[in-house]
Structure formats: C-alpha cells, structure tokens
Amino acid sequence: MTPELLDRALVEEAAKKSGLLWVRGVGAPAPRALWHVWHEGAVCLIGDGPGEQPLPELVDGGSAEVTARSKDKGGRLVGWTARVVELAPESEQWQAAVAELKGKRLNAPDGEAMPGRWARECRVLRLEQTGGTLPPPEGSLAEEPLPSPATTREPVPAGLPRLLFRRRRRGRRGR
C-alpha cells in the first residue's frame, strides 16, 4: 500500500470511530468540537441553524484543519486538511448525507420533520480530505475556551462538607 492510501484509511477509520472532531476553519481563533458522520469518503456536518452546532468559519470552497480524537483515551489521534463543500438542499447528495446525519442526531426537537427544517434553516457540509495527514503539533495546544453564556457552579457552602462527611455513631453504640 502507498502512504497516501494508508493516510486515507487512517483518516476514515478515525472519523468513523470518533463521535466528534475538532475543526478549525480559515480565520477561526480556535478549533471547534463538532459531531459528524462519515459518509461516502468524507466527513458530513450539519449546522448554522436554530438548535444546531455553529459552523461560522466553514465556507463553501474554503479549507479546514480537522483533528480526530481517540475514542478510548480522548487524545489527538490524527489531523488532516480538508476542502469544505456545501451541499445544495434537497439534492441527491444532500439527501444521502442527511439520511446518515438524521440517524446520529441526538435529542432532536422535531423528530421526523428534522430534514425539512434542515433544508430550510441549516447548512450541510462535506469535509473532503485534500492531502496526507498532518504532523503532530509541537508543544501545548491549550487555549482559552470560546466565550459562552454557560456559567460555573457557585462555591460550595461552608457547612456542606461537615454535613456530608460526618460519621454516624448511632448504629455503633448499641453493639
């Protein structure tokens, strides 16, 4: 087997096994975790609609850097560059991709009406591998998280640890 075929096989296997990919579009400040499906030799994504994942930096004809994580350890497994292709709503290729995506979409608010909503309000993208795999990065890739309206928990009340960890002595006295 040639190195190109081995790279394609590695990318396909990693994308099929991983539940999400880290994708950085051109000009994006940081990669974004996106759920996907592997369909007909490419990663397929749905997004940019109400209740769906955001895909702001991914433009038709542009490029993206994709990283797959290991399913068992969650660490970086393989990275590659991809060409972004936006599928036309209701086209044959769009319908095939949506059939796969529909089966993997968790907690959909509209069930069977989902493909119609996707055709009206969302974008379906294919990320097609354009070359070999990328070399492993050097150094730490730690970055500040993207802004979010989510908040962290409030501090634990001072008396809570005492209530949770005090010993029960009642049952031992009668022995």
Side-chain angles (χ1 to χ4, degrees):
M1 276 189 129
T2 65
E4 294 83 24
L5 288 176
L6 289 173
D7 283 348
R8 291 206 180 271
L10 176 60
V11 165
E12 179 176 351
E13 196 62 25
K16 283 181 178 179
K17 298 235 176 177
S18 182
L20 64 88
L21 299 172
W22 292 93
V23 180
R24 181 194 305 255
V26 176
R32 189 178 295 273
L34 302 172
W35 71 272
H36 69 285
V37 296
W38 181 265
H39 179 66
E40 295 180 355
V43 168
C44 292
L45 306 167
I46 182 80
D48 279 352
E52 302 298 340
Q53 60 194 354
L55 308 171
E57 300 87 13
L58 300 175
V59 295
D60 190 27
S63 65
E65 187 177 301
V66 184
T67 302
R69 66 188 182 103
S70 167
K71 189 171 184 172
D72 58 346
K73 302 287 185 186
R76 182 185 191 280
L77 183 63
V78 64
W80 69 93
T81 55
R83 180 172 54 114
V84 179
V85 177
E86 186 168 348
L87 303 179
E90 304 295 342
S91 68
E92 189 175 315
Q93 212 177 19
W94 184 92
Q95 289 177 349
V98 164
E100 292 291 320
L101 287 160
K102 182 181 169 192
K104 298 287 184 178
R105 175 65 164 92
L106 302 176
N107 304 322
D110 48 0
E112 293 301 315
M114 189 169 36
R117 178 175 58 86
W118 284 352
R120 288 186 313 274
E121 302 172 353
C122 298
R123 297 188 310 145
V124 176
L125 304 177
R126 282 177 54 89
L127 302 181
E128 301 170 345
Q129 185 179 358
T130 57
T133 58
L134 298 173
E138 303 219 3
S140 172
L141 297 179
E143 294 185 25
E144 287 291 318
L146 295 173
S148 168
T151 61
T152 57
R153 300 185 315 185
E154 297 294 323
V156 175
L160 186 61
R162 233 177 313 135
L163 291 172
L164 293 175
F165 299 115
R166 78 174 177 202
R167 294 185 182 179
R168 296 193 172 203
R169 298 176 189 224
R170 293 180 195 159
R172 295 184 186 190
R173 289 185 181 172
R175 291 184 189 172

